[in-house]
Amino acid sequence: MPTLALLVAGPALSGTVATPAEESPRAALVSTWAAYLEHYVEPSGRVVDPRGGRRSTSEGQAYAMVRALWIDDRPSFERAWAWSRDNLQSGDSGRLPAWLWGQSPEGEWRILDTQPAADADQLMAWALVGGSRRWGDAEMAAAVTKARAPYAKE
C-alpha cells in the first residue's frame, strides 16, 4: 500500500506518470520521486512549499527523507538531512527541529517558529534509523539517540 500513497501524491506533479496498471511499483516510485525532487526540493536539500510563501517545514523535510530512503537515494537523503540539521536544528543534532522556516517580515530567511512538530520528529527519527540500517551509517543512529536523550529521562 505505500506505493499507492506515493502514486496519489506524485502524479499531479508530472503529466508523464503512468497509471499503476502500466507501471511497476518500482518504476512508479522512481517517477514520482523524480517529479517530487524537481518540483519541491532545492539542490541544497531544502523542501519548499511553493504555495506557502516558499516556506519549509520539518514535516516536508521528514517526508523527503522517508521517500529518499524508500527509493534508496542516499545523496538526496543526506542533503535533506543536512539542510534540516543546519537550518531547523541550528546545527545541533541534539535538539528537535523547529517546525517552520521561511522569510521573516524583515526579509530574513530563518526559523519562524521554534516549536517542534511531533509527527515530523518521529518520521525524521524513523528515516534516520532506517538510513543507518540501510547504509551502515552510525552517525544517523547517533543523531536519533542524541535528540531523544533529554526525553528518555521523563
Side-chain angles (χ1 to χ4, degrees):
M1 278 307 193
T3 302
L4 179 59
L6 291 175
L7 288 171
V8 171
L13 301 177
S14 170
T16 61
V17 177
T19 65
E22 300 167 341
E23 190 170 37
S24 73
R26 175 72 184 161
L29 284 172
V30 170
S31 65
T32 59
W33 177 238
Y36 184 82
L37 285 173
E38 180 182 339
H39 288 83
Y40 297 106
V41 183
E42 294 181 345
S44 66
R46 176 180 173 227
V47 179
V48 176
D49 180 356
R51 295 183 183 154
R54 300 201 45 80
R55 294 177 178 184
S56 296
T57 63
S58 56
E59 290 92 341
Q61 295 301 125
Y63 295 145
M65 290 170 63
V66 168
R67 290 187 77 176
L69 178 63
W70 281 341
I71 202 75
D72 198 21
D73 181 355
R74 186 173 183 171
S76 293
F77 181 100
E78 290 189 354
R79 284 190 299 272
W81 179 34
W83 191 92
S84 299
R85 191 175 51 241
D86 294 346
N87 294 280
L88 299 177
Q89 295 175 281
S90 300
D92 180 3
S93 62
R95 67 186 279 191
L96 294 174
W99 86 271
L100 183 61
W101 190 94
Q103 192 170 25
S104 71
E106 300 79 33
E108 180 184 1
W109 290 89
R110 60 176 175 80
I111 291 174
L112 299 177
D113 189 333
T114 60
Q115 293 298 313
D119 60 334
D121 301 339
Q122 291 176 354
L123 276 177
M124 201 173 285
W126 182 86
L128 286 164
V129 169
S132 174
R133 290 178 179 167
R134 172 168 282 167
W135 299 308
D137 190 321
E139 183 184 358
M140 293 178 188
V144 174
T145 301
K146 186 176 178 185
R148 70 178 277 274
Y151 306 98
K153 297 175 187 173
E154 295 179 10

